Amino acid sequence: MKRLIGLFATVISLAFIVVLILRIWNIEILSLQTIFRSSFTLILLGISALLLIIIYGAFFRNSQAGLDEKKGSHAHPKS
C-alpha cells in the first residue's frame, strides 16, 4: 500500500512539475484555475474518505470479534 501511495504521489508531482515547466514557456494545456479546482476536489475526497473510515471504525466495527486472550501467548481468533 505504501508503494502504491508513493507511486501515486510521484506521478502527481511529476505532472504538476511538467505543467509548471510548460507555463514557463507560455504553453497552456491546463489553466491554473482548473489545477486549483482539481486539487481542491482531490483534497475534499481524501478528507471524506478519512472521515468515512473513522465513522466506520467508531460505529460499525464489530467489537466482539477479535482475539481470544485465554488461549495462550499466540494470537488465536475467537471461535
Side-chain angles (χ1 to χ4, degrees), residues 67-74 76 78:
L67 301 177
D68 193 359
E69 297 174 3
K70 297 177 185 175
K71 290 192 176 183
S73 62
H74 296 288
H76 297 281
K78 288 185 177 179

Side-chain angles (χ1 to χ4, degrees), residues 4-66:
L4 182 65
I5 292 172
L7 180 67
F8 186 67
T10 303
V11 169
I12 288 177
S13 299
L14 286 174
F16 186 70
I17 291 169
V18 167
V19 168
L20 287 178
I21 290 172
L22 290 174
R23 293 280 293 165
I24 290 171
W25 290 94
N26 290 328
I27 301 170
E28 189 171 325
I29 295 175
L30 297 170
S31 68
L32 202 54
Q33 187 177 16
T34 304
I35 294 172
F36 285 139
R37 285 181 184 168
S38 319
S39 300
F40 188 65
T41 302
L42 287 174
I43 290 169
L44 283 177
L45 286 173
I47 291 171
S48 312
L50 186 62
L51 185 63
L52 287 173
I53 289 171
I54 291 171
I55 290 172
Y56 174 77
F59 296 111
F60 299 110
R61 197 167 135 201
N62 186 2
S63 61
Q64 299 298 324

